[in-house]
Amino acid sequence: MTLEFLTRRLVLNGGLEQNALKYLEKHKVADLLVSITSSLLFFRPEKPREFLLNILTRIKVAKITAVDFPTLMDDSNLISMFEIMDPANQGFITPVQYKEALKNLGLLGPDEEINEDGEVISKEDFKDDVNRRTLEMWSAF
């Protein structure tokens, strides 16, 4: 994930910049901002500030209740994504395809390794794991 859009307007030098970036990474502020900015650009609401406040409120409530986290991908989207990666309708995708899907969804940790020689991933496993990772991501905020 790039932090460039966050730091572009900051004028920091050396140690201050590194400390600022470490702070943002430690508290997952950049991840949060990228996620809510993605939602903002996807939905393009008439009142963007109200929309952003609403998302932050939903995250706060969802964190307490562990339900209804804001997301761009529901199960039907995940199934469609899986089916695009499985055009022969074999019912599975390779670990390499799985890894790329997680990267594209922003759900693959920077140091996380996926065994590319591992077992194939079924549609249900894909859907369940993406939903689990999404919940973990939102819970971290």
Side-chain angles (χ1 to χ4, degrees):
M1 171 172 317
T2 179
L3 300 177
E4 182 181 332
F5 89 96
L6 289 172
T7 59
R8 189 174 338 135
R9 299 182 98 175
L10 294 176
V11 181
L12 301 171
N13 296 319
L16 287 176
E17 182 177 51
Q18 290 304 315
N19 286 339
L21 292 175
K22 284 180 185 177
Y23 176 83
L24 293 174
E25 288 174 7
K26 176 183 176 185
H27 295 283
K28 299 186 183 240
V29 173
D31 294 339
L32 174 63
L33 293 176
V34 167
S35 295
I36 64 175
T37 301
S38 296
S39 292
L40 179 69
L41 295 173
F42 180 80
F43 292 109
R44 297 183 187 267
E46 289 293 318
K47 297 179 179 180
R49 289 182 182 155
E50 185 177 308
F51 178 82
L52 292 172
L53 290 171
N54 185 18
I55 285 181
L56 292 172
T57 301
R58 285 177 55 203
I59 292 169
K60 184 177 180 179
V61 169
K63 192 166 180 155
I64 294 167
T65 63
V67 294
D68 196 30
F69 280 95
T71 181
L72 296 177
M73 302 288 284
D74 62 15
D75 284 351
S76 67
N77 298 125
L78 296 176
I79 290 169
S80 296
M81 181 181 218
F82 183 91
E83 289 172 349
I84 288 169
M85 293 183 290
D86 180 25
N89 201 21
Q90 298 174 4
F92 63 84
I93 58 173
T94 67
V96 172
Q97 291 171 305
Y98 173 64
K99 180 179 177 179
E100 289 303 310
L102 292 177
K103 268 198 245 181
N104 290 330
L105 293 169
L107 297 174
L108 186 67
D111 300 325
E112 185 176 358
E113 294 291 326
I114 300 289
N115 180 3
E116 295 183 1
D117 297 324
E119 295 184 24
V120 295
I121 291 88
S122 71
K123 187 186 301 184
E124 281 303 310
D125 288 343
F126 175 77
K127 187 178 61 125
D128 291 346
D129 194 49
V130 169
N131 283 330
R132 180 188 58 77
R133 287 170 178 266
T134 301
L135 180 62
E136 285 174 3
M137 177 191 71
W138 284 115
S139 296
F141 297 138

